Amino acid sequence: MFRTIVFSAFGAGLVVCVVISALQFFTTEPLILHAEQFEGTADSGHHHDAATPAHDHGDAGDWAPADGFERRAYTVLANLVLGAAVSLILLAAMVLRGDRIDARHGLLWGAAGFVAASLMPALGLPPELPGTPAADLVDRQVWWLATVVASAAGIALIAFGRHWAVKAAGLALFVLPHVIGAPPPPGHEVAYPGALAGEFVIASLVVSAVLWTLAGFSAGWLHRRLSGSTQP
Amino acid sequence: MTTTSSLATARLSSRILPAFAALVFGLGLYLGTGFAWPSALHNAAHDARHATGFPCH
């Protein structure tokens, strides 16, 4: 059972990696590189000089991939890990739920995952280009994670709850993080041309939607094929 | 314990345990890629983090 889940998840991760890497290459990556050209010009607390790559925000001397092939290779690797991770989470949830696992159900679970893990947190913390002023990182990560957990629980209660009160509680969980509110940024002035931010939000949400739905679809399909071959 | 209930327990654990292990594995990879603080990990996953909307920097 575990082997089938892991094989399906990494197979799906490979498919997801190819597709979202190609998508990022044409959509988010040019926008990130464009925004980074302006990063050194604003007083954003980062200091770049000719010796450090434009995307190194750690202390001087911290390792960062060199721009170009190396940087892109690490992005592709991160996409593979993300694709496999999302597939593992979706397959585990489907197995725990006990429903039929196939491409169609995987697609539905993936769509729900996208809403919980990308769309709802993006309402408070929109996907950001480098150089966007933002609140403390840990505060944002805590709010982001709590919002994902609350939204996922909310979807589960609305989808699987039988009593109307359970569904209402699910709706309340959906709304609660936004009533509390995300950590606000210190300002809205950006160093890069502001219109890039809008383009980036849409591009990033499309990448995330493809990540989650394609992971669910291909992991569900592969799991059905693999478990069908061992258990006729 | 009757044969039926031990069978049911075996079926349950053969389903729940692998799924739970897969869930922990998946969450570990997800948070490792999107959230880990070490600078080298951040820099390696930087563009993927931005592209998928994780809080970054």
Side-chain angles (χ1 to χ4, degrees), chain A:
Chain A
M1 173 70 91
F2 184 69
R3 264 169 51 117
T4 311
I5 296 177
V6 171
F7 281 161
S8 314
F10 276 86
L14 211 57
V15 175
V16 169
C17 171
V18 170
V19 174
I20 66 169
S21 296
L23 199 54
Q24 289 171 1
F25 180 73
F26 291 108
T27 58
T28 53
E29 193 185 302
L31 291 168
I32 291 173
L33 295 176
H34 190 161
E36 278 182 351
Q37 291 173 3
F38 301 88
E39 233 188 334
T41 60
D43 185 21
S44 58
H46 301 314
H47 299 284
H48 300 301
D49 54 45
T52 50
H55 54 283
D56 183 353
H57 302 287
D59 298 327
D62 278 355
W63 176 86
D67 275 341
F69 175 79
E70 191 183 350
R71 178 173 178 177
R72 193 168 290 149
Y74 277 99
T75 303
V76 171
L77 181 66
N79 287 336
L80 175 64
V81 178
L82 272 180
V86 165
S87 304
L88 279 168
I89 294 167
L90 290 173
L91 281 176
M94 283 191 277
V95 172
L96 287 174
R97 171 73 191 159
D99 278 348
R100 180 187 168 88
I101 301 176
D102 57 18
R104 198 173 73 91
H105 281 87
L107 184 66
L108 288 174
W109 278 85
F114 163 69
V115 172
S118 287
L119 202 57
M120 295 313 287
L123 186 57
L125 294 174
E128 286 172 350
L129 281 167
T132 310
D136 177 64
L137 175 62
V138 177
D139 289 350
R140 281 181 292 137
Q141 288 184 328
V142 167
W143 187 88
W144 196 93
L145 268 183
T147 303
V148 172
V149 172
S151 307
I155 292 177
L157 292 183
I158 292 169
F160 302 130
R162 301 208 181 276
H163 197 273
W164 66 266
V166 177
K167 291 181 189 289
L171 194 62
L173 273 177
F174 237 86
V175 177
L176 184 66
H178 306 282
V179 174
I180 296 171
H188 287 96
E189 295 299 317
V190 290
Y192 52 81
L196 294 181
E199 287 182 37
F200 186 75
V201 167
I202 298 299
S204 165
L205 285 175
V206 169
V207 167
S208 295
V210 172
L211 162 68
W212 281 89
T213 51
L214 186 61
F217 182 86
S218 24
W221 185 82
L222 269 171
H223 189 276
R224 176 144 180 76
R225 300 279 299 199
L226 291 177
S227 56
S229 62
T230 54
Q231 299 162 4

